[in-house]
């Protein structure tokens, strides 16, 4: 019977895959770079396959590395779950959490306030910014856990929620009647913007990008001030906005896909506590519930 794989080696392997660097991975797993290099050499010898491709300073996964990565993550998660099962310690510590600011106004207070009530010894340090910047930060090791928007160029992470996207306008406003219609949206790399523009182009609707910002509050302000029409998933809608249906000449938008990504170390304990709370809370909340809970 073959001996089991070394979890410590798998942890270092996943850290390299996450950040693309032996030097950064060594820092994350608290080892020297030479020790990490030796771990990977032994792991490759054990499996009889090359797992990492080195091109200058960058490191990428080979085909065999890709196959190992997903399975290694599962093993690390299972190991953390076993340790948690037999631990009677109180959950305490800090988590570096990133979330798109689209959800910061309505969703974040509801989720984090209830989490702090049930886990008072866990400190959550929150950063709100665009999904692309959160993904860059995760790769650089600045976060333990992020929620982000998946898209055609971001097909990774743990998808846990799909929401309908809505065109939104100010109640009683006239932005919908402008010709060409004025649009408020995120920067060029925003997947929601790309989808909306593609849908508008296919429909033949004349439009102009009137307001661009990576700050969701600024975009919402443009909509609420009746300066433009915008688009948001249901959990990011704000009081004063009205959903615009397709009878008003705007095309159907693709659903928003919301995913979670963890650092390779962020399994079990405080990390699972926050991750489970986010998934459960977002699964239970609809737009109406958000209004009620935020007011409590």
């Amino acid at each position: 019977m073959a001996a089991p794989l070394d979890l410590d080696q798998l942890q270092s392997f996943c850290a390299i895959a996450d950040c693309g660097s032996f030097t950064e991975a060594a820092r994350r797993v608290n080892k020297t770079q030479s020790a990490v290099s030796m771990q990977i050499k032994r792991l490759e010898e054990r499996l009889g396959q090359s797992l990492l491709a080195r091109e200058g300073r960058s490191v990428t996964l080979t085909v065999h590395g890709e196959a190992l990565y997903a399975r290694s993550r599962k093993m690390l998660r299972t190991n953390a779950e076993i340790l948690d099962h037999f631990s009677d310690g109180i959950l305490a510590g800090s988590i570096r959490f990133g979330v798109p600011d689209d959800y910061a106004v309505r969703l974040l207070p509801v989720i984090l306030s209830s989490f702090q009530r049930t886990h008072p010894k866990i400190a959550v340090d929150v950063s709100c910014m665009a999904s692309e910047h959160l993904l860059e930060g995760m790769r650089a090791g600045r976060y333990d856990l992020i929620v982000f928007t998946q898209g055609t160029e971001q097909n990774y992470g743990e998808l846990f929620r799909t929401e309908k996207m809505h065109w939104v306008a100010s109640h009683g406003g006239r932005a919908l009647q402008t010709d060409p219609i004025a649009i408020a949206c995120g920067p060029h790399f925003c997947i929601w913007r790309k989808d909306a523009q593609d849908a508008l182009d296919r429909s033949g609707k004349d439009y102009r990008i009137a307001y661009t910002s990576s700050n969701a509050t600024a975009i919402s302000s443009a909509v609420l001030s009746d300066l433009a029409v915008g688009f948001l998933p249901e959990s990011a809608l704000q009081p004063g906005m009205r959903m615009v249906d397709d009878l008003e000449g705007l095309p159907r938008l693709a659903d928003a896909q919301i995913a979670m990504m963890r650092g390779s170390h962020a399994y079990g304990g405080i990390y699972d506590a926050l991750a489970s709370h986010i998934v459960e809370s977002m699964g239970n909340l609809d737009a109406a519930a958000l209004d009620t809970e935020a007011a409590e």
Side-chain angles (χ1 to χ4, degrees), residues 57-135:
R57 293 187 176 182
S58 66
V59 182
T60 58
L61 294 175
T62 65
V63 173
H64 296 297
E66 292 278 2
L68 177 64
Y69 179 72
R71 292 168 173 82
S72 296
R73 283 275 195 159
K74 289 180 181 178
M75 290 180 68
L76 293 172
R77 181 168 194 162
T78 300
N79 180 68
E81 289 172 351
I82 293 172
L83 293 174
D84 281 351
H85 180 78
F86 291 98
S87 172
D88 56 1
I90 297 175
L91 292 179
S94 62
I95 302 175
R96 300 168 300 166
F97 175 55
V99 60
D101 58 359
D102 307 275
Y103 309 113
V105 174
R106 302 187 66 210
L107 190 61
L108 196 60
V110 174
I111 290 179
L112 290 187
S113 62
S114 58
F115 181 76
Q116 293 291 190
R117 287 196 296 270
T118 56
H119 299 84
K121 294 186 178 298
I122 301 178
V124 183
D125 301 326
V126 184
S127 296
C128 300
M129 57 187 67
S131 291
E132 286 75 11
H133 296 151
L134 292 173
L135 289 163

Side-chain angles (χ1 to χ4, degrees), residues 4 37 40 44 101 119 294:
S37 296
I40 299 305
E44 290 180 326
D101 58 359
H119 299 84

Side-chain angles (χ1 to χ4, degrees), residues 21-71:
S21 164
F22 274 77
T23 302
E24 172 61 20
R27 185 191 67 80
R28 295 186 189 186
V29 298
N30 297 312
K31 290 180 171 61
T32 64
Q33 184 173 337
S34 59
V36 169
S37 296
M38 183 58 67
Q39 283 187 310
I40 299 305
K41 180 182 179 181
R42 289 173 177 168
L43 182 60
E44 290 180 326
E45 289 174 348
R46 172 70 193 282
L47 297 176
Q49 300 291 345
S50 176
L51 303 173
L52 299 168
R54 300 162 181 81
E55 298 178 4
R57 293 187 176 182
S58 66
V59 182
T60 58
L61 294 175
T62 65
V63 173
H64 296 297
E66 292 278 2
L68 177 64
Y69 179 72
R71 292 168 173 82

Side-chain angles (χ1 to χ4, degrees), residues 4-281:
L5 292 174
D6 187 321
L7 282 175
D8 202 35
Q9 292 176 0
L10 296 180
Q11 178 83 63
S12 295
F13 166 73
C14 287
I16 296 169
D18 287 344
C19 67
S21 164
F22 274 77
T23 302
E24 172 61 20
R27 185 191 67 80
R28 295 186 189 186
V29 298
N30 297 312
K31 290 180 171 61
T32 64
Q33 184 173 337
S34 59
V36 169
S37 296
M38 183 58 67
Q39 283 187 310
I40 299 305
K41 180 182 179 181
R42 289 173 177 168
L43 182 60
E44 290 180 326
E45 289 174 348
R46 172 70 193 282
L47 297 176
Q49 300 291 345
S50 176
L51 303 173
L52 299 168
R54 300 162 181 81
E55 298 178 4
R57 293 187 176 182
S58 66
V59 182
T60 58
L61 294 175
T62 65
V63 173
H64 296 297
E66 292 278 2
L68 177 64
Y69 179 72
R71 292 168 173 82
S72 296
R73 283 275 195 159
K74 289 180 181 178
M75 290 180 68
L76 293 172
R77 181 168 194 162
T78 300
N79 180 68
E81 289 172 351
I82 293 172
L83 293 174
D84 281 351
H85 180 78
F86 291 98
S87 172
D88 56 1
I90 297 175
L91 292 179
S94 62
I95 302 175
R96 300 168 300 166
F97 175 55
V99 60
D101 58 359
D102 307 275
Y103 309 113
V105 174
R106 302 187 66 210
L107 190 61
L108 196 60
V110 174
I111 290 179
L112 290 187
S113 62
S114 58
F115 181 76
Q116 293 291 190
R117 287 196 296 270
T118 56
H119 299 84
K121 294 186 178 298
I122 301 178
V124 183
D125 301 326
V126 184
S127 296
C128 300
M129 57 187 67
S131 291
E132 286 75 11
H133 296 151
L134 292 173
L135 289 163
E136 291 172 3
M138 175 61 81
R139 185 174 178 83
R142 293 194 293 270
Y143 304 110
D144 302 307
L145 183 72
I146 63 170
V147 168
F148 70 102
T149 301
Q150 276 189 321
T152 54
E153 298 177 359
Q154 302 159 352
N155 295 318
Y156 41 83
E158 305 166 30
L159 178 66
F160 69 93
R161 182 173 172 86
T162 299
E163 294 186 7
K164 185 175 180 180
M165 287 288 291
H166 299 280
W167 291 99
V168 292
S170 174
H171 275 295
R174 299 182 58 82
L176 277 169
Q177 282 70 56
T178 60
D179 187 21
I181 190 169
I183 303 294
C185 60
H188 65 89
F189 54 74
C190 174
I191 189 63
W192 295 346
R193 169 174 171 165
K194 182 180 183 300
D195 178 68
Q197 288 188 275
D198 288 346
L200 288 165
D201 291 340
R202 288 193 302 269
S203 71
K205 183 74 173 178
D206 197 13
Y207 69 95
R208 68 184 181 92
I209 302 298
Y211 295 88
T212 302
S213 177
S214 58
N215 185 288
T217 301
I219 296 173
S220 295
S221 295
V223 173
L224 292 169
S225 300
D226 195 33
L227 298 174
V229 174
F231 38 87
L232 290 170
E234 58 188 8
S235 62
L237 300 179
Q238 295 186 31
M241 293 180 178
R242 71 181 181 94
M243 293 182 290
V244 180
D245 60 37
D246 52 10
L247 295 178
E248 297 179 72
L250 292 172
R252 172 71 186 272
L253 298 171
D255 291 343
Q257 294 183 315
I258 304 171
M260 183 180 297
M261 181 177 287
R262 307 164 180 248
S264 56
H265 65 282
Y267 291 110
I270 61 176
Y271 308 111
D272 274 6
L274 179 59
S276 298
H277 185 81
I278 291 170
V279 172
E280 181 179 356
S281 297

